[in-house]
Amino acid sequence: MEKFSIMSQPSSFYKAMLKDIKQAKKSIFLETYIYDKDSVGEKFKKALMKKASQGVKVKVLVDAWGSTADKAFFQDLIDEGAEVRFYREFRYTIRIFSKNHERNHRKLLIIDNKVSYIGSANITASCLNWRELVIRLEGDITPHFSKSFKQSWQSFGKPVKRRFNSVIHKGFEIIQEVPSLKYKTTEKKYVQLIESAKKTILIEAPYFVPSHGIRKAFARAVKRHVKIVVVLPKISDVKIIDIVRNRYLGELHKEGIKIYYYSPKILHSKLFIMDNKFFILGSSNLDYRSFLHQYEINLLGKDRKIINELNKYFYSTLLDSTKFNINEWKRRSSLVKIPEMIISYLEKYL
């Protein structure tokens, strides 16, 4: 079994990441959707600069759209010998929205090919008060994450046409997603697990707009008397997603899915647990756009100790959550319902 730690507080896992960066001897690979020009971004840049100046190989891959940090921000890091690349600049095309939404949404930190972090968190001070989910792994799974990073690094400036195979490693599977109408590997894996469920499905999702296939799988699972519990943020950081999701919540509730709102702060974690036998965590949202238009990376596993810790994490989230109120949902005004209908209609064209 890999040595692991489950972390939810950004201040805690940023501290752990910076400690591992400080102790790096050979290499540091960082891949993230958002890297912001703020206090957290500065801390990471300074730590990376110091290691680069010591001869440690430093590679940073950030998404060109998601990040506020630009080449000027990273110039002093580059001057120390680090390499920084920006994943896919904005492109003008007929399908301008969908093509430019094909972003690198992955979050990885890899130290010396020995320590790896994967989860929901970006490098930004904006999430310091959010509830996230990050797992730190120490062991021989890390070289597989390094291989994934290198594939992203090599293809940073162009669309990826070929499918990256998932990696099986000692009871784990690293699921690598690329934008594709054909493959949608992550969605298929979710459907497969939902169809296999016999007792429970536990979900935390910041942006919950499940695809038609997943909604159908949910309905079949409920008919098999599988208990499905979904925890969402009361209000997420992407308000338009809240509008889209709210249109579907009443119907999902009527089908028998238990929906809860987490309200103490923004919930940004991505977690799926099936029958206390399998888990999925990583960068993917339970959102059809994530399956269709994003480069994602997720970890599927069946390690009992990890699942026990993830269960504790889930139920501590649930403890601070309130039940979805179907009567309030039914009383939504036309001022709410009309935007829901318009955006839901338009979403298939985006």
Side-chain angles (χ1 to χ4, degrees):
M1 189 200 77
E2 307 289 324
K3 184 178 178 181
F4 75 94
S5 301
I6 303 292
M7 292 172 275
S8 64
Q9 297 297 326
S11 57
S12 297
F13 58 70
Y14 283 154
K15 183 177 179 180
M17 288 174 171
L18 290 166
K19 180 180 178 181
D20 283 327
I21 287 171
K22 183 178 179 180
Q23 294 175 348
K25 299 292 190 293
K26 296 180 180 179
S27 62
I28 303 167
F29 302 148
L30 173 62
E31 181 175 9
T32 184
Y33 173 61
I34 295 174
Y35 193 120
D36 279 336
K37 295 189 290 185
D38 56 23
S39 59
V40 170
E42 286 285 353
K43 281 183 182 179
F44 273 81
K45 184 177 71 169
K46 288 177 181 177
L48 294 170
M49 285 173 62
K50 185 172 182 179
K51 300 313 293 187
S53 70
Q54 294 171 358
V56 173
K57 182 189 294 184
V58 176
K59 294 180 182 290
V60 178
L61 179 62
V62 303
D63 188 80
W65 192 354
S67 299
T68 61
D70 52 17
K71 188 173 181 180
F73 173 83
F74 286 117
Q75 190 57 55
D76 43 5
L77 175 59
I78 295 168
D79 291 344
E80 292 291 352
E83 295 180 80
V84 179
R85 290 181 175 177
F86 296 88
Y87 205 94
R88 309 262 309 269
E89 302 290 346
F90 190 89
R91 295 183 298 146
Y92 292 95
T93 176
I94 293 174
R95 292 179 61 208
I96 191 168
F97 292 106
S98 61
K99 285 300 179 184
N100 284 291
H101 271 292
E102 291 180 358
R103 310 313 311 172
N104 183 1
H105 196 243
R106 298 174 182 179
K107 289 100 173 162
L108 280 176
L109 175 63
I110 302 157
I111 311 291
D112 287 345
N113 230 21
K114 295 179 180 178
V115 175
S116 46
Y117 290 81
I118 181 173
S120 63
N122 296 285
I123 306 300
T124 173
S126 66
C127 77
L128 283 172
N129 194 39
W130 293 6
R131 185 166 177 79
E132 300 272 11
L133 178 58
V134 171
I135 186 168
R136 179 189 184 274
L137 294 164
E138 189 173 345
D140 55 4
I141 194 172
T142 299
H144 297 297
F145 286 119
S146 294
K147 184 177 179 181
S148 171
F149 173 86
K150 289 172 183 176
Q151 289 173 329
S152 298
W153 181 260
Q154 291 165 1
S155 63
F156 76 104
K158 55 186 180 295
V160 178
K161 299 298 183 183
R162 66 187 180 85
R163 179 187 178 190
F164 291 157
N165 292 327
S166 296
V167 176
I168 307 295
H169 174 84
K170 297 180 180 178
F172 295 97
E173 182 176 351
I174 299 172
I175 308 168
Q176 302 177 104
E177 189 69 81
V178 300
S180 170
L181 285 168
K182 179 180 179 182
Y183 294 118
K184 293 189 282 188
T185 307
T186 308
E187 180 182 10
K188 290 176 182 176
K189 188 62 66 174
Y190 273 112
V191 170
Q192 178 186 336
L193 291 175
I194 294 167
E195 298 285 17
S196 301
K198 292 181 172 56
K199 295 180 180 178
T200 59
I201 295 171
L202 309 178
I203 294 169
E204 287 187 24
Y207 319 117
F208 187 66
V209 189
S211 65
H212 179 76
I214 287 181
R215 294 200 303 270
K216 289 293 186 182
F218 280 157
R220 289 190 290 269
V222 171
K223 287 179 180 178
R224 299 194 309 272
H225 305 292
V226 174
K227 182 181 179 182
I228 302 176
V229 182
V230 180
V231 182
L232 312 173
K234 179 68 175 178
I235 301 174
S236 80
D237 63 310
V238 184
K239 302 302 183 290
I240 194 169
I241 299 296
D242 294 349
I243 293 172
V244 175
R245 82 170 186 197
N246 288 343
R247 178 173 167 80
Y248 299 106
L249 293 185
E251 297 307 316
L252 292 171
H253 172 84
K254 290 174 186 176
E255 287 178 0
I257 295 173
K258 309 298 181 184
I259 301 169
Y260 290 81
Y261 286 132
Y262 180 79
S263 55
K265 51 190 174 182
I266 288 178
L267 177 72
H268 193 246
S269 59
K270 303 105 171 23
L271 176 62
F272 178 98
I273 305 173
M274 186 273 275
D275 285 350
N276 288 333
K277 292 181 178 179
F278 293 95
F279 72 86
I280 298 177
L281 63 81
S283 66
S284 285
N285 297 305
L286 251 173
D287 167 7
Y288 82 98
R289 294 197 60 78
S290 182
F291 301 142
L292 185 61
H293 294 300
Q294 310 284 3
Y295 296 83
E296 306 278 10
I297 188 162
N298 299 284
L299 181 67
L300 184 154
K302 57 182 181 180
D303 183 275
R304 291 296 308 168
K305 290 185 178 180
I306 293 178
I307 290 173
N308 287 342
E309 290 302 311
L310 289 174
N311 263 298
K312 291 177 186 177
Y313 171 89
F314 178 85
Y315 283 105
S316 68
T317 308
L318 191 62
L319 195 62
D320 283 326
S321 303
T322 56
K323 286 184 179 180
F324 171 80
N325 188 315
I326 187 64
N327 292 321
E328 286 183 5
W329 183 82
K330 288 178 179 178
R331 289 196 297 266
R332 296 176 347 277
S333 71
S334 296
L335 292 175
V336 173
K337 291 178 181 178
I338 291 172
E340 288 177 2
M341 288 188 291
I342 293 171
I343 295 172
S344 297
Y345 175 77
L346 291 175
E347 64 182 351
K348 60 178 174 287
Y349 298 106
L350 300 178

Short mmCIF file of all heavy atoms in Angstrom, two decimals, residues 13 19 45 55 66 86 99 107 126 168 195 201 235 264 266 270 276 279 310 326 336 348:
data_model
loop_
_atom_site.label_atom_id
_atom_site.label_comp_id
_atom_site.label_asym_id
_atom_site.label_seq_id
_atom_site.Cartn_x
_atom_site.Cartn_y
_atom_site.Cartn_z
N PHE A 13 -2.56 21.67 3.32
CA PHE A 13 -1.88 20.96 2.24
C PHE A 13 -0.90 21.87 1.50
O PHE A 13 0.11 21.38 0.97
CB PHE A 13 -2.85 20.23 1.29
CG PHE A 13 -3.90 21.05 0.62
CD1 PHE A 13 -3.60 21.96 -0.38
CD2 PHE A 13 -5.24 20.85 0.93
CE1 PHE A 13 -4.59 22.68 -1.02
CE2 PHE A 13 -6.25 21.56 0.29
CZ PHE A 13 -5.92 22.48 -0.69
N LYS A 19 6.71 22.14 2.05
CA LYS A 19 7.72 21.37 2.78
C LYS A 19 8.37 20.34 1.87
O LYS A 19 9.59 20.17 1.85
CB LYS A 19 7.09 20.68 3.99
CG LYS A 19 8.08 19.88 4.81
CD LYS A 19 7.39 19.22 6.01
CE LYS A 19 8.38 18.37 6.81
NZ LYS A 19 7.71 17.72 7.97
N LYS A 45 6.16 30.27 -5.91
CA LYS A 45 7.20 30.71 -6.85
C LYS A 45 8.55 30.86 -6.15
O LYS A 45 9.58 30.41 -6.67
CB LYS A 45 6.80 32.04 -7.51
CG LYS A 45 7.81 32.48 -8.57
CD LYS A 45 7.37 33.76 -9.27
CE LYS A 45 7.47 34.97 -8.38
NZ LYS A 45 7.31 36.24 -9.12
N GLY A 55 19.83 23.72 -8.61
CA GLY A 55 20.03 22.72 -9.65
C GLY A 55 18.95 21.67 -9.74
O GLY A 55 19.05 20.73 -10.54
N GLY A 66 -7.04 29.50 -17.33
CA GLY A 66 -7.42 29.45 -15.92
C GLY A 66 -6.56 30.29 -15.01
O GLY A 66 -7.01 30.69 -13.93
N PHE A 86 2.62 27.32 -20.77
CA PHE A 86 1.21 27.68 -20.64
C PHE A 86 0.40 26.80 -21.58
O PHE A 86 0.68 26.76 -22.78
CB PHE A 86 1.01 29.16 -20.97
CG PHE A 86 1.70 30.07 -20.01
CD1 PHE A 86 3.02 30.45 -20.21
CD2 PHE A 86 1.05 30.52 -18.88
CE1 PHE A 86 3.68 31.27 -19.31
CE2 PHE A 86 1.68 31.35 -17.97
CZ PHE A 86 3.01 31.72 -18.19
N LYS A 99 -14.32 24.78 -28.05
CA LYS A 99 -12.91 24.53 -28.28
C LYS A 99 -12.04 25.21 -27.24
O LYS A 99 -11.03 24.66 -26.79
CB LYS A 99 -12.50 24.98 -29.69
CG LYS A 99 -12.97 24.04 -30.78
CD LYS A 99 -12.40 22.65 -30.59
CE LYS A 99 -12.87 21.68 -31.67
NZ LYS A 99 -12.39 20.30 -31.42
N LYS A 107 -4.65 18.69 -11.77
CA LYS A 107 -3.91 19.23 -10.64
C LYS A 107 -2.96 18.16 -10.12
O LYS A 107 -3.39 17.15 -9.56
CB LYS A 107 -4.86 19.64 -9.50
CG LYS A 107 -5.70 20.87 -9.79
CD LYS A 107 -7.08 20.52 -10.21
CE LYS A 107 -7.94 21.77 -10.32
NZ LYS A 107 -9.14 21.56 -11.12
N SER A 126 -7.45 32.34 -3.40
CA SER A 126 -8.92 32.45 -3.42
C SER A 126 -9.60 31.26 -2.77
O SER A 126 -10.76 31.35 -2.38
CB SER A 126 -9.42 32.61 -4.86
OG SER A 126 -9.17 31.45 -5.62
N ILE A 168 -2.96 1.04 -14.55
CA ILE A 168 -3.31 0.18 -13.42
C ILE A 168 -2.07 -0.03 -12.57
O ILE A 168 -1.00 -0.38 -13.08
CB ILE A 168 -3.84 -1.19 -13.90
CG1 ILE A 168 -4.99 -1.01 -14.90
CG2 ILE A 168 -4.27 -2.04 -12.71
CD1 ILE A 168 -6.22 -0.37 -14.33
N GLU A 195 -23.57 1.38 -11.90
CA GLU A 195 -24.32 0.17 -12.29
C GLU A 195 -23.95 -1.03 -11.42
O GLU A 195 -24.75 -1.95 -11.26
CB GLU A 195 -24.04 -0.17 -13.76
CG GLU A 195 -24.48 0.90 -14.76
CD GLU A 195 -25.99 0.92 -14.97
OE1 GLU A 195 -26.74 0.37 -14.16
OE2 GLU A 195 -26.42 1.53 -15.98
N ILE A 201 -23.87 4.95 -2.65
CA ILE A 201 -23.02 5.81 -3.46
C ILE A 201 -22.96 7.15 -2.76
O ILE A 201 -24.01 7.77 -2.49
CB ILE A 201 -23.58 5.99 -4.89
CG1 ILE A 201 -23.56 4.66 -5.64
CG2 ILE A 201 -22.78 7.05 -5.65
CD1 ILE A 201 -24.30 4.71 -6.97
N ILE A 235 -23.88 27.49 -2.33
CA ILE A 235 -23.57 28.40 -3.42
C ILE A 235 -22.12 28.14 -3.83
O ILE A 235 -21.23 28.21 -2.99
CB ILE A 235 -23.73 29.87 -3.00
CG1 ILE A 235 -25.16 30.15 -2.54
CG2 ILE A 235 -23.35 30.81 -4.15
CD1 ILE A 235 -25.37 31.54 -1.96
N PRO A 264 -21.17 25.99 5.29
CA PRO A 264 -20.19 26.78 6.04
C PRO A 264 -19.23 27.58 5.16
O PRO A 264 -18.81 28.68 5.51
CB PRO A 264 -19.43 25.73 6.85
CG PRO A 264 -20.38 24.60 7.00
CD PRO A 264 -21.15 24.59 5.72
N ILE A 266 -17.37 27.47 0.74
CA ILE A 266 -17.47 26.87 -0.59
C ILE A 266 -16.89 25.46 -0.57
O ILE A 266 -15.77 25.22 -0.10
CB ILE A 266 -16.75 27.74 -1.64
CG1 ILE A 266 -17.56 29.00 -1.89
CG2 ILE A 266 -16.56 26.97 -2.95
CD1 ILE A 266 -16.95 29.97 -2.87
N LYS A 270 -13.99 16.92 -4.97
CA LYS A 270 -14.59 15.99 -5.94
C LYS A 270 -14.35 14.57 -5.41
O LYS A 270 -13.22 14.10 -5.37
CB LYS A 270 -13.96 16.15 -7.33
CG LYS A 270 -14.05 17.58 -7.91
CD LYS A 270 -12.73 18.25 -7.84
CE LYS A 270 -12.56 19.57 -8.55
NZ LYS A 270 -13.61 20.43 -8.89
N ASN A 276 -18.37 1.39 -0.21
CA ASN A 276 -17.16 1.30 0.61
C ASN A 276 -16.12 0.36 0.00
O ASN A 276 -15.28 -0.21 0.71
CB ASN A 276 -17.48 0.85 2.03
CG ASN A 276 -18.17 1.93 2.82
OD1 ASN A 276 -17.98 3.12 2.56
ND2 ASN A 276 -18.99 1.54 3.78
N PHE A 279 -13.27 4.14 -4.68
CA PHE A 279 -13.36 5.59 -4.63
C PHE A 279 -12.79 6.18 -5.91
O PHE A 279 -11.97 5.57 -6.59
CB PHE A 279 -12.60 6.15 -3.41
CG PHE A 279 -11.10 6.07 -3.54
CD1 PHE A 279 -10.38 7.09 -4.18
CD2 PHE A 279 -10.39 4.99 -3.02
CE1 PHE A 279 -8.99 7.01 -4.31
CE2 PHE A 279 -9.01 4.91 -3.15
CZ PHE A 279 -8.31 5.92 -3.80
N LEU A 310 -11.58 8.43 3.66
CA LEU A 310 -12.47 9.21 2.79
C LEU A 310 -13.91 9.18 3.32
O LEU A 310 -14.63 10.18 3.20
CB LEU A 310 -12.42 8.67 1.36
CG LEU A 310 -11.11 8.95 0.60
CD1 LEU A 310 -11.12 8.24 -0.74
CD2 LEU A 310 -10.88 10.44 0.41
N ILE A 326 -37.54 20.22 -1.15
CA ILE A 326 -38.27 20.13 -2.41
C ILE A 326 -39.36 21.20 -2.50
O ILE A 326 -39.66 21.71 -3.60
CB ILE A 326 -38.89 18.71 -2.58
CG1 ILE A 326 -39.51 18.56 -3.98
CG2 ILE A 326 -39.90 18.44 -1.48
CD1 ILE A 326 -38.54 18.63 -5.11
N VAL A 336 -36.36 32.98 -11.62
CA VAL A 336 -35.33 31.95 -11.45
C VAL A 336 -35.48 30.88 -12.54
O VAL A 336 -34.49 30.46 -13.15
CB VAL A 336 -35.42 31.30 -10.05
CG1 VAL A 336 -34.47 30.12 -9.95
CG2 VAL A 336 -35.12 32.34 -8.98
N LYS A 348 -25.89 22.93 -24.53
CA LYS A 348 -25.43 21.93 -25.49
C LYS A 348 -24.66 22.54 -26.66
O LYS A 348 -24.00 21.83 -27.40
CB LYS A 348 -26.62 21.11 -26.00
CG LYS A 348 -27.71 21.89 -26.71
CD LYS A 348 -28.79 20.93 -27.20
CE LYS A 348 -29.99 21.63 -27.80
NZ LYS A 348 -30.82 22.27 -26.79
#
